[in-house]
Amino acid sequence: MAPSHQPTLRVRQLFDNESFTYTYLLIDAESCAAAIIDPVVEKYERDRRCIEELNIQLHYIMETHIHADHITGAAKLKEHFAAKIVAGKATEVDCADLLLNDGDTIELGSYKIKALATPGHTNGCMSYYVDGMAFTGDALFIRGTGRTDFQEGDAATLYESVTQKLFTLPDATLVYPAHDYNGYTISTIGEEKRYNPRLGKGKSKQEFITIMDQLNLEEPLKIDVAVPANMCCGYMRDRI
Amino acid sequence: MAPSHQPTLRVRQLFDNESFTYTYLLIDAESCAAAIIDPVVEKYERDRRCIEELNIQLHYIMETHIHADHITGAAKLKEHFAAKIVAGKATEVDCADLLLNDGDTIELGSYKIKALATPGHTNGCMSYYVDGMAFTGDALFIRGTGRTDFQEGDAATLYESVTQKLFTLPDATLVYPAHDYNGYTISTIGEEKRYNPRLGKGKSKQEFITIMDQLNLEEPLKIDVAVPANMCCGYMRDRI
């Protein structure tokens, strides 16, 4: 996915302290083409200013999935920057400009971002891979995983996505998750294979399913407003 | 400060969501020598595990200053890893193993970390520079600065430290602050010179002093326990 010349892809990681969401700006420093992954609507002003101050051209607004814990900033960013909204085809969101299948790529400057279908947290979960970096959404967290107890969550499916798809990337691949609750910002595939307590260390699918079954997590506070709003790329948020 | 061969210095950024503190692991991937900057005592277990899982050798525990908002994890990390505690000489902390003056360097593998005295938030504030990265403590934040209204805070001094020392580093220098309250993780010197609303954009010293005088911030919650504990590198914390 990387060009043969000196790498020019830059990442700017941004955090929403309320929902513990990481938003990413991906920037090809050569062409100034940029994509944003998983923006949060309450952080729209910060993200807009950041894009303008960095003097980059926002081409894509990419969602890893239909979030249940926050409303996306996609609609507001699209209105301002005229960028394309990108999501996995299995999300079935009508408002996206591009719906990707597993293995599809989109171009960002001289880079190709590859969509990797990683269902399990939801059916439409996509990870995005480019230049040695995997943006793993709610499939793989640092020393954890997304939950599988609501929406279309399915632990067996998530186990397959992580162990058969993400864990087949090179060990040095950087892992950038959609959330972190412990103050980690980055990991690698190699680290997660060795140390992830839920499905690393050679844990079996049945062990993973048992762990996920016993989590007993509370329902996300915003699920009732976030999911319908995100099915509309955040356009409906003022009416909710 | 960088060796002539392929760069091998890695940064692992860690966040404390209670005090909004960034802790950094600096790792020379070739020798596995590592330093930690501004650890937080409540995050000791996370930091210890991270160091052990990354299979690195902790040589230094570096403080940018005497913190007022959290207690350092230095003492506990030193007890476990037998690393040296490093601080600025003007902190006057007896418990440190190395007290650095402006311009002093310490070696981390084939790298040299250079201490840059950047007083103003406190008298003993040090920034640390290595391989195109500046760890700016509470001197320079992303689109902000440390406060100057308690301990030995002095806005005029901080203005000199940032504009005459940090802003003379190359524009591409990465800025890694000790705190962020807005979800930013990284900036550059060039960005801060252009966009920092307090002392970028050519703001005068008097303008900066006026801005700082009008902040009217609340006193840090932990100042009465954190400062005396940090004067002892965190050793006293169980007795407070």
Side-chain angles (χ1 to χ4, degrees):
Chain A
M1 296 302 116
S4 56
H5 58 73
Q6 184 74 8
T8 58
L9 199 65
R10 307 280 180 266
V11 177
R12 188 64 63 105
Q13 189 171 25
L14 299 157
F15 188 58
D16 171 38
N17 196 54
E18 192 191 340
S19 64
F20 295 84
T21 301
Y22 279 125
T23 296
Y24 299 93
L25 276 175
L26 274 178
I27 305 156
D28 173 26
E30 195 170 52
S31 66
C32 292
I36 194 166
I37 300 175
D38 289 337
V40 175
V41 72
E42 286 87 354
K43 298 296 179 184
Y44 166 73
E45 285 298 331
R46 176 197 66 187
D47 297 348
R48 179 192 58 73
R49 194 166 54 243
C50 196
I51 290 164
E52 291 175 349
E53 289 180 351
L54 290 171
N55 202 20
I56 54 181
Q57 310 303 318
L58 189 69
H59 291 205
Y60 300 111
I61 302 154
M62 307 178 72
E63 301 287 353
T64 56
H65 64 292
I66 299 298
H67 307 277
D69 60 342
H70 68 271
I71 296 175
T72 174
K76 287 180 78 81
L77 287 164
K78 178 175 173 169
E79 280 168 17
H80 190 82
F81 292 106
K84 288 187 166 65
I85 297 176
V86 181
K89 192 161 191 179
T91 59
E92 299 179 346
V93 294
D94 296 333
C95 49
D97 300 289
L98 289 171
L99 288 172
L100 303 182
N101 287 306
D102 182 49
D104 285 351
T105 60
I106 58 174
E107 292 188 4
L108 188 75
S110 52
Y111 290 84
K112 282 189 167 51
I113 302 172
K114 185 173 183 176
L116 303 174
T118 48
H121 171 66
T122 69
N123 287 344
C125 280
M126 277 288 177
S127 295
Y128 298 110
Y129 178 85
V130 58
D131 194 31
M133 299 181 289
F135 298 87
T136 57
D138 278 25
L140 179 60
F141 293 162
I142 300 170
R143 311 296 192 265
T145 64
R147 53 199 286 185
T148 53
D149 58 337
F150 59 75
Q151 289 174 288
E152 305 128 340
D154 183 82
T157 305
L158 183 58
Y159 183 87
E160 294 297 321
S161 291
V162 175
T163 60
Q164 301 304 309
K165 193 161 275 178
L166 296 175
F167 281 2
T168 63
L169 295 170
D171 275 5
T173 304
L174 299 175
V175 171
Y176 286 107
H179 297 284
D180 188 90
Y181 305 90
N182 303 302
Y184 295 110
T185 57
I186 194 170
S187 182
T188 67
I189 290 293
E191 272 179 56
E192 295 311 313
K193 283 160 70 175
R194 282 195 300 281
Y195 299 120
N196 193 299
R198 294 190 185 171
L199 40 55
K201 310 178 187 181
K203 281 240 170 32
S204 71
K205 186 191 289 189
Q206 193 51 55
E207 286 175 291
F208 179 66
I209 291 169
T210 303
I211 289 170
M212 297 308 283
D213 278 349
Q214 294 175 346
L215 288 180
N216 293 320
L217 299 168
E218 289 183 13
E219 183 145 299
L221 289 175
K222 295 186 179 179
I223 188 167
D224 293 336
V225 289
V227 170
N230 290 332
M231 288 301 293
C232 303
C233 299
Y235 280 110
M236 284 177 63
R237 77 179 183 89
D238 294 333
R239 280 182 273 155
I240 290 171
Chain B
M1 298 299 118
S4 55
H5 57 73
Q6 184 74 9
T8 58
L9 199 65
R10 306 280 180 266
V11 177
R12 190 62 64 106
Q13 189 171 25
L14 300 156
F15 188 58
D16 172 38
N17 195 54
E18 192 190 341
S19 64
F20 295 84
T21 301
Y22 280 125
T23 296
Y24 299 94
L25 276 175
L26 273 177
I27 304 156
D28 173 27
E30 193 170 53
S31 65
C32 292
I36 193 166
I37 299 176
D38 289 337
V40 175
V41 73
E42 286 86 355
K43 298 295 179 184
Y44 167 73
E45 284 299 331
R46 176 197 67 187
D47 297 348
R48 179 192 59 72
R49 194 167 53 243
C50 195
I51 291 163
E52 290 175 351
E53 289 180 351
L54 290 171
N55 203 20
I56 53 182
Q57 311 303 316
L58 189 69
H59 290 205
Y60 300 111
I61 302 154
M62 307 178 72
E63 301 286 352
T64 55
H65 65 291
I66 299 298
H67 307 276
D69 60 342
H70 68 271
I71 295 174
T72 175
K76 286 178 78 84
L77 287 164
K78 178 175 173 169
E79 280 168 16
H80 190 83
F81 292 106
K84 289 188 167 63
I85 296 176
V86 180
K89 193 160 191 180
T91 59
E92 299 179 344
V93 294
D94 295 335
C95 48
D97 300 290
L98 289 171
L99 288 171
L100 303 182
N101 287 306
D102 181 51
D104 284 352
T105 61
I106 58 174
E107 292 187 6
L108 188 75
S110 51
Y111 290 84
K112 282 187 167 52
I113 302 172
K114 185 173 182 177
L116 303 174
T118 48
H121 171 67
T122 69
N123 286 345
C125 279
M126 277 290 176
S127 295
Y128 297 110
Y129 178 85
V130 58
D131 195 30
M133 301 181 289
F135 298 87
T136 56
D138 278 25
L140 179 61
F141 292 162
I142 300 170
R143 312 296 192 262
T145 65
R147 54 198 286 185
T148 53
D149 58 337
F150 59 75
Q151 290 174 286
E152 305 128 340
D154 184 82
T157 304
L158 183 57
Y159 183 86
E160 294 296 322
S161 291
V162 175
T163 60
Q164 301 304 309
K165 193 161 274 176
L166 296 175
F167 280 1
T168 63
L169 295 169
D171 275 6
T173 305
L174 299 175
V175 171
Y176 285 108
H179 298 284
D180 188 274
Y181 305 90
N182 303 301
Y184 295 110
T185 57
I186 194 171
S187 183
T188 67
I189 290 294
E191 271 179 57
E192 295 311 314
K193 282 161 70 174
R194 281 195 300 280
Y195 299 121
N196 193 298
R198 292 190 185 171
L199 41 52
K201 310 179 187 182
K203 281 241 171 30
S204 70
K205 187 191 287 187
Q206 192 50 54
E207 286 176 291
F208 180 65
I209 291 170
T210 302
I211 289 169
M212 298 307 284
D213 278 350
Q214 294 174 346
L215 288 180
N216 293 319
L217 299 168
E218 289 183 12
E219 184 146 298
L221 288 175
K222 294 186 178 178
I223 189 168
D224 292 338
V225 290
V227 170
N230 289 333
M231 288 299 294
C232 303
C233 300
Y235 279 110
M236 283 175 65
R237 76 178 183 90
D238 293 334
R239 279 182 274 154
I240 291 171

